[in-house]
Amino acid sequence: MATTPAKKPTPKKKKNNRGRIVLTVLMVVLIVLASLLIYKIGRAMYDAYIGGSEEEPDTSHVNPVIYETTPVAQSTKVGYYLLGVMGEEDAQSETDLLSLVCFDKEKKTVRILQMPQDTYLGEDDTFKVKRLSEVFASPQDLLWCNVCRCRVYKPAVSEESTHTECGTKLTAKEGSSTVNLVEVFNRQYGLPIDGYFIFEQDTLRKLVDLIGGVTVDLAFSVKTDEVTYEKGVRAIDGAAALKYIAASGNGTAKDIERFARFQQVCTAVLQRLFAMEDTKMSADVFQPLMVGSTPIRVGFNDDYKSIVELVRALSAVPFEEMAAYVLPGETVSEGGETYYSVHRNDVLALLNREFNPHGDPITEGDLNLTELAGGKESDLTATLLSQWVLEQETLIVKTEE
């Protein structure tokens, strides 16, 4: 029987893989290009808004003058602080002593600008008063925009008392004593303020007692309720230290006398603190001081540990590199009142030379100062705190609070 020959299997058509390969390659290329584009856009936005850069950032153009606080790019190099003592009336009274402190962290120097109480503020609408010492007790009410959630200054206030930015009717908001005081230096001197340390008089007394008293060379005898400290080198308690630096008459000449006595006490306080370990300084001095009934008014993280860190940083500065200056100016009469009028040119020169170590030069336009008189030569002599350094060995133990 004849067999039917088997059919040969039909050959399969070869798949065309060339198109798939081309399509895959195109997709990979598109993904790579998209990734690069996303990276470039993201990197540009990061550099523009956050400031990230693989290279060392160029901070030479950063000018602290335009900032309320020191810009981040400069904060590791310099810090600006206010140091003040209140008057004796009450916690909301006028300031009795006030200084601007510039701490150059990089060069390890401290410069102190001592501000006479009668320093004239001019007609600036930022302040309710014309005398520096009165700012703390009489803060200016704020013009406030509830929509923009910010304070509004005159150029942005319309004739209808609305905010020119958004048209919202402005409201009055209670001002802040410390904020208004800081604004004196922000708006009139073009300098940032990173923190403030405002002492009530009783706080200063407690501080001196907590560190065991201070040894100073008394220019005159000081009598307290408990003891009389004769003129000369003496270890004195907080009550005596307070009496020694307290007001003794009015006027710039008396202010300058008190500046010198305050320098003596501050130098001795710093010597005591520099000699302490951080844990002891924290536990035995600033912690009990800050939790008491009259703490330091602090605008520096509101944390006593931060104060200890600042004190420790200052301990690296030799007293020979701590210099104090009196604000250049002179006493004048204006409208039946006596003021201390700044000398604009001298102030500008002093700020650039001693109080602006890392920023662009402060210009005439950065100052918002009113000069009432300029006929008297300014005293630009520096007082070095090193002249007040004395041995701080004797401790006074207070049995009272």
Side-chain angles (χ1 to χ4, degrees), residues 283-332:
D284 294 351
V285 180
F286 289 113
Q287 186 174 1
L289 192 65
M290 293 305 291
V291 299
S293 59
T294 52
I296 312 172
R297 298 168 189 267
V298 180
F300 183 66
N301 296 335
D302 292 327
D303 182 356
Y304 62 85
K305 294 180 181 178
S306 299
I307 302 177
V308 173
E309 292 174 1
L310 179 59
V311 172
R312 185 54 58 213
L314 286 170
S315 67
V317 181
F319 283 104
E320 291 79 7
E321 295 296 338
M322 297 185 182
Y325 298 84
V326 176
L327 181 71
E330 63 181 284
T331 301
V332 297

Side-chain angles (χ1 to χ4, degrees), residues 123-137:
E123 302 294 336
D124 195 323
D125 67 296
T126 308
F127 312 107
K128 185 184 294 186
V129 294
K130 298 180 181 180
R131 201 183 308 273
L132 177 62
S133 64
E134 299 170 355
V135 170
F136 196 90

Side-chain angles (χ1 to χ4, degrees), residues 60-357:
S60 60
H61 67 286
V62 176
N63 185 5
V65 166
I66 65 174
Y67 292 82
E68 293 183 356
T69 58
T70 300
V72 175
Q74 299 281 358
S75 60
T76 59
K77 296 180 180 181
V78 64
Y80 292 87
Y81 309 94
L82 291 184
L83 177 62
V85 178
M86 303 296 301
E88 60 183 352
E89 294 300 323
D90 56 55
Q92 296 299 326
S93 66
E94 300 176 3
T95 48
D96 198 38
L97 284 162
L98 186 67
S99 298
L100 167 70
V101 180
C102 175
F103 175 24
D104 189 334
K105 305 172 187 178
E106 191 172 74
K107 297 179 181 178
K108 298 293 187 294
T109 63
V110 169
R111 296 294 181 263
I112 305 166
L113 185 61
Q114 300 162 134
M115 312 291 294
Q117 293 185 86
D118 293 333
T119 299
Y120 183 64
L121 301 179
E123 302 294 336
D124 195 323
D125 67 296
T126 308
F127 312 107
K128 185 184 294 186
V129 294
K130 298 180 181 180
R131 201 183 308 273
L132 177 62
S133 64
E134 299 170 355
V135 170
F136 196 90
S138 305
Q140 178 71 290
D141 290 340
L142 313 180
L143 282 176
W144 189 262
C145 178
N146 288 320
V147 172
C148 299
R149 304 298 302 168
C150 67
R151 182 180 183 183
V152 181
Y153 294 95
K154 250 184 180 177
V157 181
S158 72
E159 294 181 0
E160 295 77 24
S161 295
T162 61
H163 191 187
T164 56
E165 295 292 325
C166 64
T168 304
K169 187 73 173 179
L170 298 174
T171 59
K173 187 174 182 179
E174 185 178 358
S176 165
S177 297
T178 49
V179 168
N180 219 193
L181 190 60
V182 165
E183 285 182 320
V184 171
F185 297 88
N186 289 161
R187 292 176 63 81
Q188 296 209 329
Y189 295 87
L191 289 175
I193 297 296
D194 301 304
Y196 49 82
F197 303 89
I198 308 297
F199 291 80
E200 292 181 29
Q201 292 199 3
D202 200 44
T203 313
L204 182 62
R205 177 191 65 78
K206 290 178 182 177
L207 172 61
V208 172
D209 286 340
L210 285 169
I211 62 176
V214 290
T215 300
V216 296
D217 189 359
L218 296 176
F220 48 80
S221 298
V222 177
K223 184 178 181 180
T224 69
D225 293 338
E226 299 176 354
V227 64
T228 297
Y229 298 93
E230 299 295 339
K231 176 182 176 181
V233 178
R234 299 283 182 269
I236 61 177
D237 65 3
L242 183 58
K243 275 204 166 186
Y244 186 56
I245 66 172
S248 55
N250 300 319
T252 301
K254 293 296 182 181
D255 283 348
I256 293 174
E257 289 179 10
R258 290 188 303 114
F259 287 151
R261 301 199 295 272
F262 189 50
Q263 291 169 23
Q264 288 181 270
V265 173
C266 284
T267 301
V269 168
L270 289 176
Q271 283 184 269
R272 293 282 203 202
L273 293 175
F274 291 169
M276 291 184 182
E277 295 182 353
D278 289 0
T279 52
K280 181 176 177 61
M281 195 193 314
S282 177
D284 294 351
V285 180
F286 289 113
Q287 186 174 1
L289 192 65
M290 293 305 291
V291 299
S293 59
T294 52
I296 312 172
R297 298 168 189 267
V298 180
F300 183 66
N301 296 335
D302 292 327
D303 182 356
Y304 62 85
K305 294 180 181 178
S306 299
I307 302 177
V308 173
E309 292 174 1
L310 179 59
V311 172
R312 185 54 58 213
L314 286 170
S315 67
V317 181
F319 283 104
E320 291 79 7
E321 295 296 338
M322 297 185 182
Y325 298 84
V326 176
L327 181 71
E330 63 181 284
T331 301
V332 297
S333 294
E334 174 73 14
E337 297 286 340
T338 300
Y339 296 104
Y340 184 77
S341 171
V342 298
H343 290 165
R344 287 179 61 96
N345 291 338
D346 290 335
V347 169
L348 184 62
L350 180 61
L351 292 182
N352 276 314
R353 191 182 77 231
E354 302 293 345
F355 292 86
N356 186 29

Side-chain angles (χ1 to χ4, degrees), residues 5-13:
K7 291 183 179 180
K8 292 183 180 179
T10 304
K12 294 181 179 179
K13 293 182 179 180

Side-chain angles (χ1 to χ4, degrees), residues 15-63:
K15 293 181 178 179
N16 188 3
N17 291 327
R18 183 176 299 174
R20 289 187 178 182
I21 293 172
V22 172
L23 182 60
T24 302
V25 171
L26 287 174
M27 289 179 66
V28 171
V29 171
L30 287 173
I31 292 172
V32 171
L33 289 175
S35 299
L36 288 173
L37 181 61
I38 292 172
Y39 172 78
K40 290 292 186 181
I41 294 174
R43 190 69 192 183
M45 292 179 67
Y46 181 86
D47 289 339
Y49 295 102
I50 302 179
S53 176
E54 294 178 359
E55 299 178 357
E56 188 69 23
D58 178 17
T59 60
S60 60
H61 67 286
V62 176
N63 185 5

